[in-house]
Amino acid sequence: MKTELVIDLEAEKQEILKRYRALLRASKSTLQKGDKKEIRKAFDMALESHKDMRRKSGEPYIYHPIAVAQIAAEEIGLGTTSIVCALLHDVVEDTDITLEDIEREFGKKTAKIIDGLTKISGVFDTNSSLQAENFRKMLLTLADDVRVILIKLADRLHNMRTMDFMPRHKQLKIASETIYLYAPLAHRLGLYAIKSELEDLSMKYLDPDTYKFIAKKLNEKKAERALFIKKFVEPIDEIVHEQGLVADVYGRPKSIHSIWNKMKKKNIPFEEVYDLFAIRIILDSAPENEKADCWKAYSIVTDLYRPNPDRLRDWVSSPKGNGYESLHTTVMGPRGQWVEVQIRTQRMNEIAEKGFAAHWKYKESSNDNGLDQWIQKVREMLSNPEANALDFLDDFKMNLFSDEIFIFTPKGALIQLPLGATALDFAFEIHTDVGATCIGAKVNHKLVPISYKLQNGDQVEIITSSKQTPKEDWLNVVVTAKAKSKIKSSLKEEKRKIAENGKEILERKLKSLKITYNTENIQKLSYFFKLPSTQELFVNVALGKIELKDIKEYLSNGKEVESRSPERPENLSVDGIKSKIKGGESDILLIGEDMQRIDYTLAACCNPIPGDDVFGFITVSEGIKIHRTNCPNAAQLMANYGYRVVKAKWNKQQELTFLTGLRIVGIDDVGLINNITRVISTDFKVNMRSITVDTNEGIFDGSIMIFVNDTEHLENLIKNLLKVRGVTGVTRFDA
Ligand code: MN
């Protein structure tokens, strides 16, 4: 049902001005002489050029750039240039205003940032090219000016906050991109608050049921939790002040996404997640007392509550690579419950919340800047880009989230590497040549192989040999994006040389067979030998895998070989798939914009069943595959191949069954298995395919594969299984 939209233009004008004034207030702390005029000029230009445009919600378009500028100022702490750029971030893309106009009015720097923002804005609507290429472009702009990425993050955050009016398939695509790349980027740039919000918002759209479930659970116990926090904090607060520290002590809830992650990782129900919140002690310290004050507070807390010795994290002495500084400990609370306590100063807290921009503000006072080093590394990696953008992105992304370890050189210099890094990673970190010729290492004076996984605090000396060259299996040894890309390009270079050689050999062979050496014939040969490229053909010839007699064989029947190029995934579409289907109509799933009945298979990675939120994905060789929107692979698929995603919806009428798995945990009791199987097969008449049970000192842990009709059926079954005496947990699992 559509409702008529009545617009009161005068009221809207007032609202726009109100929002603009709020933006000015938010940017007040960074404003210098003349800045206000610049912002006003940008606002006027944006207002004028977007004046006839509206958002999907029906609101004036200008609300969006104002909000993005507000986030940039308030939540990231950016200054006037960025605020101006945020206000104008969509004008070159969407209106008649050109980059030259911007440069004339606001200068070169502003024009350059907006150029960067315009180049990466295509990420949204492109339908034909790989998203990965767009992401790579975005990272390239990061090497130019980090503000481009920061404003882009503000843009993305506002779009995620206002996504309710978007069609479902767009919501899924945008949410997937966000969880796949934007949230990790925010994390890497130290923007914890924004990262958490992006993750929660993504989950809200990708996995709405779980999101609502956890939100509801959190809300139920809110008052009880507040009381617990109050009691826990009181004695700390008292003693901290007695000892002359100025501090703010409070409880802070953890994000829904992080709670869900914990439930999945530890396979525990919501009730068993102990850290639904953390206690924060934010100290107001003079710069020279920061470290001492943090440890003083630590000592007060651990005098009151017993700490878990395994859970002390000191990022005050060695800050994380993204600039994060804090002292974390987990202590035993009064009711036998573990509580995480985070101790830091106001400066550290601002960096923790706002990340990069705040880091710069304090730059004079902090000497070693991990973020600068990181951006330097990104620059290096991009200067030697891989041909395959998706590969590059995967390597890069892996490095966004990982924790760091600190390694010492023989001379005592500190090198930061991601957790899991090996001696070979360290070698490449020192220098490409050191990495390329590495044959082993001495770790703490002991000889180890190149694959040795480094431990925090190791001192490493690399042993090289001029005879060594990078090997294919090194790619499995290293974890850093830098080492990976260096090894790949070296292998590629090696291959190129071999291919060159193979090409000469092939030319001679063809000549002896009186075959013309031309592109067409070479391509025909590649297809004949089922090789993906002519380069592979040359390599195979050089390595002696293709000999003269093979080519003769081709001559005897090769002329019938079709030289049609293999089907490219870009050419696939729902219509293409449709035309391939000969009959085989299926009834239970409707696919595509017009909800047609098309052949499909259910993805094995997430085993969707009717009632699950699902989407279709067009595969290269297996038609349409149906995944759950909360499938572990969904984000990657939707973020990188959005154009191959099709809508899919269950049609309610069918009485078919689907395979799914249940994990049942409990206290082993005589007859427990009997009671479980009784509920499943007698009460619910559900067929079981397999049961695996593990009993260990009275703890029962079973996996059961069963056939159910839909999610409702499954939920009822779970409910009843939970009633079986001794059963403490029942969860659905995917594969
Ligand atoms: Mn925008």
Side-chain angles (χ1 to χ4, degrees):
M1 200 172 64
K2 281 198 173 160
T3 44
E4 191 75 19
L5 190 66
V6 184
I7 298 163
D8 180 345
L9 284 177
E10 190 48 42
E12 234 171 50
K13 219 161 124 196
Q14 290 308 317
E15 180 62 27
I16 292 170
L17 280 175
K18 203 175 117 199
R19 291 181 188 213
Y20 170 69
R21 280 193 291 267
L23 167 66
L24 279 185
R25 278 196 300 279
S27 44
K28 212 167 164 186
S29 64
T30 59
L31 288 188
Q32 283 167 358
K33 212 170 161 260
D35 283 355
K36 220 167 153 177
K37 240 171 88 192
E38 281 290 287
I39 295 176
R40 179 75 205 200
K41 201 163 76 177
F43 168 70
D44 287 340
M45 188 188 242
L47 185 62
E48 173 60 23
S49 56
H50 288 302
K51 73 171 184 283
D52 297 323
M53 296 165 62
R54 288 188 177 270
R55 305 197 83 208
K56 276 248 153 50
S57 59
E59 291 178 329
Y61 194 85
I62 189 73
Y63 285 5
H64 170 62
I66 295 177
V68 174
Q70 177 116 14
I71 292 169
E74 204 163 49
E75 296 175 51
I76 309 182
L78 293 171
T80 301
T81 308
S82 302
I83 293 169
V84 166
C85 292
L87 282 169
L88 297 170
H89 80 271
D90 278 332
V91 297
V92 174
E93 177 88 4
D94 298 340
T95 76
D96 296 335
I97 292 186
T98 63
L99 271 180
E100 289 72 49
D101 297 334
I102 305 264
E103 184 169 340
R104 197 176 50 245
E105 292 293 326
F106 298 95
K108 254 203 167 75
K109 210 192 284 165
T110 302
K112 195 145 188 246
I113 293 174
I114 290 177
D115 186 29
L117 285 165
T118 308
K119 273 187 192 136
I120 58 180
S121 67
V123 173
F124 256 6
D125 14 66
T126 171
N127 232 17
S128 54
S129 72
L130 274 183
Q131 297 292 342
E133 189 48 49
N134 281 316
F135 287 143
R136 208 172 68 88
K137 264 189 225 149
M138 183 164 100
L139 294 170
L140 272 167
T141 64
L142 177 130
D144 278 347
D145 194 322
V146 191
R147 284 176 291 189
V148 178
I149 300 295
L150 295 172
I151 296 166
K152 189 69 201 165
L153 279 171
D155 184 26
R156 176 52 59 120
L157 180 58
H158 185 246
N159 283 328
M160 288 293 293
R161 280 176 182 170
T162 54
M163 209 157 60
D164 280 345
F165 292 92
M166 289 271 184
R168 176 80 177 137
H169 70 281
K170 280 223 169 133
Q171 290 175 342
L172 289 177
K173 180 165 179 280
I174 295 168
S176 300
E177 281 174 12
T178 302
I179 200 73
Y180 184 69
L181 194 79
Y182 289 91
L185 259 180
H187 173 91
R188 195 58 188 77
L189 292 167
L191 297 149
Y192 280 99
I194 288 180
K195 171 216 156 203
S196 299
E197 193 179 342
L198 286 175
E199 284 176 341
D200 272 10
L201 286 168
S202 296
M203 190 178 161
K204 188 175 145 193
Y205 291 100
L206 294 175
D207 194 358
D209 293 343
T210 314
Y211 180 85
K212 277 183 225 148
F213 169 81
I214 296 177
K216 193 173 143 245
K217 286 270 184 190
L218 276 175
N219 209 22
E220 278 167 10
K221 293 277 164 77
K222 211 170 167 182
E224 193 182 310
R225 216 163 36 241
L227 193 68
F228 176 87
I229 291 172
K230 190 167 171 267
K231 285 219 172 106
F232 183 90
V233 158
E234 252 165 19
I236 301 178
D237 213 22
E238 205 170 290
I239 301 176
V240 160
H241 289 105
E242 255 173 42
Q243 301 226 357
L245 293 170
V246 183
D248 201 6
V249 188
Y250 57 92
R252 165 101 196 187
K254 295 226 167 152
S255 76
I256 289 178
H257 184 261
S258 70
I259 292 170
W260 175 228
N261 263 348
K262 191 143 280 181
M263 287 167 65
K264 275 192 300 190
K265 212 163 118 194
K266 301 200 167 163
N267 196 21
I268 48 175
F270 176 85
E271 284 70 23
E272 281 169 37
V273 179
Y274 69 84
D275 45 357
L276 298 174
F277 60 90
I279 299 296
R280 283 209 184 138
I281 303 179
I282 309 296
L283 298 153
D284 185 359
S285 294
E288 63 276 16
N289 294 335
E290 282 193 309
K291 196 170 166 183
D293 284 356
C294 286
W295 285 105
K296 214 165 163 184
Y298 172 83
S299 153
I300 292 168
V301 171
T302 52
D303 278 348
L304 285 163
Y305 307 105
R306 182 171 295 282
N308 179 339
D310 295 335
R311 299 294 303 267
L312 172 65
R313 300 282 180 275
D314 174 13
W315 289 299
V316 169
S317 309
S318 317
K320 282 195 188 186
N322 61 11
Y324 185 78
E325 293 172 64
S326 196
L327 202 57
H328 290 196
T329 178
T330 301
V331 299
M332 185 56 83
R335 270 190 266 151
Q337 179 190 18
W338 289 113
V339 177
E340 184 181 300
V341 182
Q342 307 173 346
I343 303 164
R344 52 189 182 242
T345 64
Q346 276 170 5
R347 177 190 65 83
M348 297 173 188
N349 194 45
E350 203 179 334
I351 289 173
E353 306 255 288
K354 293 183 180 169
F356 197 84
H359 214 29
W360 278 87
K361 190 172 135 193
Y362 293 107
K363 212 175 164 217
E364 293 94 309
S365 59
S366 64
N367 37 22
D368 195 15
N369 190 329
L371 263 180
D372 280 349
Q373 288 172 16
W374 179 70
I375 284 167
Q376 183 53 38
K377 260 188 230 170
V378 173
R379 279 197 189 114
E380 273 173 32
M381 270 167 50
L382 290 166
S383 65
N384 177 21
E386 279 300 307
N388 183 340
L390 195 59
D391 257 13
F392 165 81
L393 185 68
D394 272 345
D395 292 348
F396 177 79
K397 216 182 83 71
M398 282 244 299
N399 281 242
L400 284 178
F401 256 144
S402 52
D403 270 331
E404 297 94 15
I405 49 173
F406 297 92
I407 306 298
F408 293 98
T409 67
K411 284 186 178 156
L414 199 61
I415 303 265
Q416 249 176 40
L417 287 169
L419 190 68
T422 59
L424 191 56
D425 281 305
F426 178 84
F428 275 101
E429 199 60 39
I430 299 291
H431 195 278
T432 309
D433 294 340
V434 176
T437 56
C438 175
I439 54 169
K442 276 186 181 169
V443 171
N444 307 325
H445 307 293
K446 230 180 87 196
L447 200 62
V448 298
I450 56 170
S451 61
Y452 173 85
K453 270 200 174 39
L454 298 171
Q455 306 293 315
N456 218 351
D458 277 348
Q459 187 166 40
V460 184
E461 184 186 343
I462 294 298
I463 305 164
T464 60
S465 156
S466 57
K467 293 199 181 72
Q468 179 71 300
T469 53
K471 306 284 182 291
E472 187 88 38
D473 65 351
W474 282 16
L475 290 170
N476 303 321
V477 172
V478 297
V479 303
T480 56
K482 182 178 177 181
K484 272 204 177 136
S485 95
K486 296 283 184 200
I487 294 168
K488 276 184 197 161
S489 63
S490 153
L491 290 172
K492 227 179 1 193
E493 179 58 25
E494 183 82 349
K495 204 168 186 181
R496 204 185 53 78
K497 278 186 200 151
I498 296 173
E500 197 102 306
N501 188 17
K503 190 175 163 191
E504 279 168 27
I505 298 172
L506 186 62
E507 270 189 68
R508 262 182 280 145
K509 284 192 171 152
L510 292 186
K511 209 168 169 190
S512 75
L513 291 168
K514 309 231 175 339
I515 302 176
T516 333
Y517 180 93
N518 60 21
T519 320
E520 204 198 335
N521 281 334
I522 297 302
Q523 250 164 21
K524 277 186 182 165
L525 271 174
S526 310
Y527 293 132
F528 178 72
F529 292 112
K530 297 192 174 62
L531 294 166
S533 67
T534 51
Q535 196 199 32
E536 286 298 327
L537 176 71
F538 297 147
V539 170
N540 275 287
V541 170
L543 298 176
K545 285 183 189 160
I546 294 175
E547 294 175 6
L548 202 62
K549 65 173 170 51
D550 300 318
I551 300 176
K552 278 183 185 158
E553 191 194 327
Y554 157 73
L555 272 183
S556 60
N557 61 12
K559 269 145 207 157
E560 282 95 61
V561 173
E562 257 186 87
S563 64
R564 182 175 52 88
S565 64
E567 199 154 14
R568 293 172 58 95
E570 284 83 352
N571 298 337
L572 292 174
S573 66
V574 174
D575 288 334
I577 300 261
K578 221 166 53 182
S579 64
K580 275 195 202 161
I581 297 166
K582 312 151 190 142
E585 209 169 90
S586 50
D587 288 316
I588 39 160
L589 202 63
L590 304 174
I591 295 172
E593 284 311 311
D594 39 1
M595 291 284 127
Q596 313 154 76
R597 290 169 176 180
I598 296 179
D599 234 7
Y600 59 85
T601 47
L602 300 172
C605 48
C606 55
N607 287 326
I609 64 175
D612 279 334
D613 226 344
V614 289
F615 66 95
F617 185 75
I618 304 176
T619 64
V620 179
S621 52
E622 296 171 89
I624 294 180
K625 277 232 152 101
I626 304 300
H627 292 264
R628 284 154 65 183
T629 56
N630 59 1
C631 166
N633 297 320
Q636 202 265 6
L637 293 177
M638 289 195 272
N640 286 304
Y641 306 98
Y643 59 99
R644 285 161 65 184
V645 168
V646 288
K647 241 195 256 178
K649 210 177 88 191
W650 297 101
N651 183 358
K652 261 224 147 186
Q653 347 231 320
Q654 284 282 326
E655 277 290 315
L656 282 177
T657 55
F658 295 84
L659 187 66
T660 190
L662 281 183
R663 174 152 182 230
I664 304 179
V665 230
I667 311 290
D668 198 11
D669 191 3
V670 190
L672 182 66
I673 296 191
N674 268 341
N675 290 339
I676 290 173
T677 51
R678 201 203 62 233
V679 171
I680 295 176
S681 35
T682 316
D683 298 359
F684 270 78
K685 309 249 180 304
V686 163
N687 283 325
M688 283 183 281
R689 195 173 80 170
S690 63
I691 293 194
T692 345
V693 175
D694 230 4
T695 12
N696 189 9
E697 292 177 36
I699 302 298
F700 172 95
D701 192 336
S703 301
I704 303 184
M705 297 304 292
I706 48 167
F707 291 95
V708 294
N709 299 112
D710 53 26
T711 44
E712 206 182 304
H713 191 202
L714 181 66
E715 272 155 28
N716 272 330
L717 176 61
I718 292 178
K719 236 185 249 161
N720 280 277
L721 283 172
L722 280 167
K723 286 185 196 150
V724 173
R725 203 167 66 103
V727 170
T728 57
V730 182
T731 41
R732 173 179 174 186
F733 65 86
D734 298 333

